Each structure stands twice: as C-alpha cells, then as structure tokens.
Amino acid sequence: MKIPDRTQVAIIGAGPSGLLLSALLAREGIETVILEQRSPDYVLSRIRAGVLEQTTVQLLERAGVAERLHREGLPHDGFDLCFGGARHRIDLKRLTGGKHVVVYGQTEVTRDLMAHRQSLGLPTVYEAEEVSLHGFDGAQPMVRYVHQGQAHELHCDYIAGCDGFHGVSRASVPPRAITQHERVYPFGWLGVLSRTPPVAHELIYSNHERGFALCSMRSHTLSRYYVQCSLQDPLENWSDDVFWDELRTRLDPAAAQALITGPSIEKSIAPLRSFVAEPMRFGRLFLAGDAAHIVPPTGAKGLNLAASDVHYLSTALIEHYVEDRGAGLEHYSARCLARVWKASRFSWWFTSLMHRFPQTELSGGPMGYRMQQAELDYLVQSEAAQTVMAENYVGLPF
Ligand code: APR
Ligand code: PHB
C-alpha cells in the first residue's frame, strides 16, 4: 500500500487509543494515517487488563468493532473483596442502578480494531522508525519517519499523540509548556496467565498481610492472576509453584481450595505508577491515552481512560471537520483531565487500600495495615461506601 504524504489527522501509535480514534474518525470520512514503531505481532503480544466500562463498550459499538466482544466478552455484575479470611461481594449492578462491566482482554480489543482498520484498507505504517513531530505549534504540522530505510514526511492538519507513556509525542512538547505529576508505588505486580478455569466467576481483590492479590480471567478457560511483589524480586525467584503457593496464601480458604493451577503461559512483573500530564493539547498536537496519563492497574482504568480521551478527541475533530465548529478542540484538554483526575484518584485510593506499604509510607507498617482493615470493615458494612466504590468502578459518565 502506498502511504500518502498528506492526511487530515496523523496518529502516532497503533495501540487501543490510536486504533479506536482512527476507527471513529473513519466513520465520518476523516482521513488518518497511523505510524506505529512496532510490528503488529509485538503490539498484540502485550498482556494488559481487560475490564471494559459500559461507555467503552458503547464506543467500540459505535466504531463498528463490538461483534466479537458481545459474543465472547463476560459481563460482570459484581466483584469480591477478600480480607480477614473472608470474601465480601460488591454488587455493582444493584449499587449503580443496573450498570456492569465486561471482561474482555485488551489484546482482543486491539486485535478487533486492527482487523477492522485492515478491512477498511486504511494506511498504517508498522515498524516506523525515527518518528519526529514538527510544526504542531503552527498551522502546518508534519511528522517525519523512516520506513524500510526510506525517509518520509507526513503533512497533516492535526497530530494525535497515542504513543503511550514512553512515546515521542509528549517528549516533543517543550518542558516549559507541560506539567507532569507522578507517584511511583514501592512495589510491583507479578502477573501470570494460565490455561486454567478461573477460581471464581467474578474477580477477587484480596488485601492480605503478605500483600495484595487479584484473581481475574480472560475467558472460562484462561485465567489471569496477580500478586503484589517487591520490584527487587527477580522474576527467576517466582517459579510457578512458588507463585501458586503465594496466591493460595493470600486468598480465603474457599478460594484457595477451589484454585486450579497449571503451567504459566505468560509471567511478568510490572511497576505501578500514577502519572498525569497537563495540559493534553499543544497547538495542533493532542495527547490521548497512556501518552498523557498512567494509572495503577488496581482499578482497571487504563483502557477506559484511553477510551474517554478518544471519545472527546474524535467528537471534537468530527465537529471541526463536519460542522466547522472548533469548541470541542478548544475544550479537549479540560474535558479529558476532569475525568482523568477522578479516575486517577479512584485508582490511587483502591491501590492504597489493598496493598501493603513499607513503614516509611503514610499507609504503611502495622498501623497502616490496621487502618486498611478498618476501612474495609466499614466499606462492607456501609451501603453508601459501597455505592461510591461501585460508581467509580463501573466508570463515571463522560
Ligand atoms: N513512534 C510510533 N509509535 C510509538 C512510538 C513512537 N515513537 N512510541 C510508542 N509507540 C507505540 C507503541 O509501540 C504502542 O503500540 O504507541 C503505542 C501505544 O500504545 P499503548 O502503550 O497501549 O497506549 P494506548 O494506546 O494509549 O492504550 C492505553 O494500554 O498500556 C495500556 O493500561 C494501558 O490499557 C491502557 C492502554
Ligand atoms: C486483568 O484481568 O488483567 C485485570 C483485571 C482487573 C484489574 C486489573 C487487571 O483491576
């Protein structure tokens, strides 16, 4: 496919943000070119959380890519909190007037979006190297890149920086024009994927004195488990047997008994951070998704925040091109950040409630653990507290 040297919106990154944005714009005939530094297989190899808010599902429906999601996704009306050796269900559906979440791996969302773009025959440059952004503070932005040894220039009206936390887009903004807020957590998540039936039909979030644990899933035959671990722990220390024993220890007796173990087909340690860059617009460059913010995975907000950014940006660009109205572009950053900060706060609160912190941290040591137990005791006894948790977990309105 010959890649054009001019388009309306140049999208940097073919992860969920870039692919969903391009799909929504394509429905209105707005031209895009996506530049992705990796191969399609590499993009699909990344294992990421897959708990979709209903608003994210609705966006995927609007983009025309929700058919397999509806066939294979698992609607969840609640989840369990596990502490003090017992499990307590948070009834999302009852507490939120009927809302639920859908469990469907991010890899599958990305796969569906990639297949959709390919079916439309829209230009995507994989393994684009040396991507650099130019002129976005003026009226004629341009992106330079190298592909198969050949240098290219892509002239455009707007650039969407959908290239994640380590991307080039945010890094291209002059330091004086951007404020970056960050909190790095003093632990990591060791994640395991196994071809085993999930231990329960809903997710289990566990606060244990040895650390946090999470029982999740990708399907009825593919399970995803996590335990909080030290970032100093080499992955080699975590054999499958050591992992399964630690997970059992951190669960209630019934779940520990029910757990079906098997060989790990993926095992990795991920750091946790909270990060927000402000603003999210710089002239004709718009940041979306992980390029602008990172949340600890506890609240499963990462993909859903990327989706809400894409909702605001696609709506603004469509208003601009189809209705010749610029208000959406003007208000893009403020609208995104209002929702980003609320989701960041919830993710930070849930992470602080469920993990063991060192004595040096405010919520750390024995007293911090007792405070967490008190909050969990209060939470499971208070309809009001559970409602606040449920409203944030299913996702706040756009
Ligand atoms: N040039 C081109 N592409 C780049 C560059 C670059 N310089 N740097 C990064 N990329 C690509 C990455 O290879 C990746 O495919 O941009 C894409 C960014 O995708 P994500 O990191 O998945 O970010 P996003 O699309 O915003 O999705 C957010 O992914 O990380 C999870 O938890 C997060 O669920 C959330 C979702
Ligand atoms: C996952 O399935 O990977 C997952 C689910 C819920 C979370 C985090 C991760 O809060």
Side-chain angles (χ1 to χ4, degrees), residues 158 316-327:
Y158 297 100
L317 287 166
I318 291 164
E319 278 178 6
H320 166 74
Y321 280 112
V322 177
E323 301 159 23
D324 195 22
R325 288 194 293 127

Side-chain angles (χ1 to χ4, degrees), residues 237-398:
N237 285 6
W238 288 93
S239 69
D240 285 4
D241 288 346
V242 166
F243 175 81
W244 293 123
D245 288 346
E246 189 61 40
L247 178 62
R248 275 195 199 90
T249 303
R250 299 186 188 186
L251 295 176
D252 61 288
Q257 177 70 34
L259 183 66
I260 297 173
T261 65
S264 60
I265 58 175
E266 194 276 343
K267 189 189 293 178
S268 53
I269 294 177
L272 278 71
R273 79 176 76 238
S274 294
F275 173 84
V276 180
E278 295 185 305
M280 290 174 54
R281 175 200 184 178
F282 309 90
R284 288 178 176 251
L285 168 63
F286 295 82
L287 302 181
D290 274 15
H293 40 73
I294 296 285
V295 285
T298 321
K301 290 297 166 200
L303 180 56
N304 295 299
L305 273 184
S308 53
D309 292 349
V310 166
H311 163 71
Y312 294 126
L313 184 52
S314 60
T315 303
L317 287 166
I318 291 164
E319 278 178 6
H320 166 74
Y321 280 112
V322 177
E323 301 159 23
D324 195 22
R325 288 194 293 127
L329 292 174
E330 283 307 308
H331 300 303
Y332 168 74
S333 183
R335 283 175 179 160
C336 287
L337 288 167
R339 196 171 191 275
V340 164
W341 277 111
K342 293 185 182 77
S344 293
R345 182 216 58 88
F346 171 70
S347 303
W348 163 80
W349 167 78
F350 199 9
T351 301
S352 303
L353 177 63
M354 299 303 287
H355 291 74
R356 293 310 313 275
F357 287 76
Q359 177 71 37
T360 50
E361 301 261 338
L362 198 56
S363 48
M367 186 163 186
Y369 184 59
R370 295 296 296 119
M371 291 288 194
Q372 291 175 339
Q373 300 302 300
E375 182 163 4
L376 286 162
D377 267 341
Y378 166 68
L379 183 61
V380 298
Q381 293 162 14
S382 163
E383 180 88 355
Q386 290 178 51
T387 301
V388 168
M389 181 176 212
E391 282 184 352
N392 282 278
Y393 192 89
V394 300
L396 300 178
F398 282 169

Side-chain angles (χ1 to χ4, degrees), residues 78-214:
F79 62 82
D80 281 356
L81 288 175
C82 178
F83 64 97
R87 285 192 350 226
H88 308 265
R89 187 166 186 266
I90 301 295
D91 187 341
L92 297 173
K93 191 167 189 173
R94 180 179 64 78
L95 292 162
T96 62
K99 292 186 180 179
H100 64 277
V101 293
V102 177
V103 173
Y104 186 69
Q106 176 176 311
T107 304
E108 304 319 311
V109 172
T110 307
R111 196 190 311 279
D112 295 341
L113 284 163
M114 284 167 77
H116 179 69
R117 184 164 178 87
Q118 194 170 23
S119 72
L120 297 177
L122 297 176
T124 307
V125 181
Y126 285 97
E127 296 174 295
E129 299 170 325
E130 301 173 38
V131 173
S132 59
L133 281 55
H134 306 274
F136 53 82
D137 55 348
Q140 295 175 319
M142 180 264 289
V143 181
R144 285 201 178 98
Y145 66 97
V146 174
H147 187 239
Q148 294 172 346
Q150 192 72 28
H152 297 267
E153 288 191 353
L154 177 61
H155 296 267
C156 53
D157 299 336
Y158 297 100
I159 302 173
C162 300
D163 46 349
F165 183 67
H166 300 289
V168 67
S169 297
R170 190 180 73 249
S172 301
V173 175
R176 70 181 180 283
I178 191 169
T179 302
Q180 305 190 72
H181 308 271
E182 185 169 48
R183 171 194 296 267
V184 179
Y185 296 87
F187 44 74
W189 276 19
L190 169 66
V192 160
L193 197 63
S194 59
R195 290 198 193 290
T196 53
V199 68
H201 73 282
E202 292 179 330
L203 273 55
I204 302 173
Y205 291 83
S206 179
N207 171 302
H208 187 275
E209 62 186 337
R210 291 177 61 86
F212 170 78
L214 170 59

Side-chain angles (χ1 to χ4, degrees), residues 48-51 189 203 205 214 216-218 224 226 297-300:
R48 296 274 172 65
V51 175
W189 276 19
L203 273 55
Y205 291 83
L214 170 59
S216 182
M217 62 196 76
R218 292 290 178 270
R224 181 68 169 167
Y226 299 95
T298 321

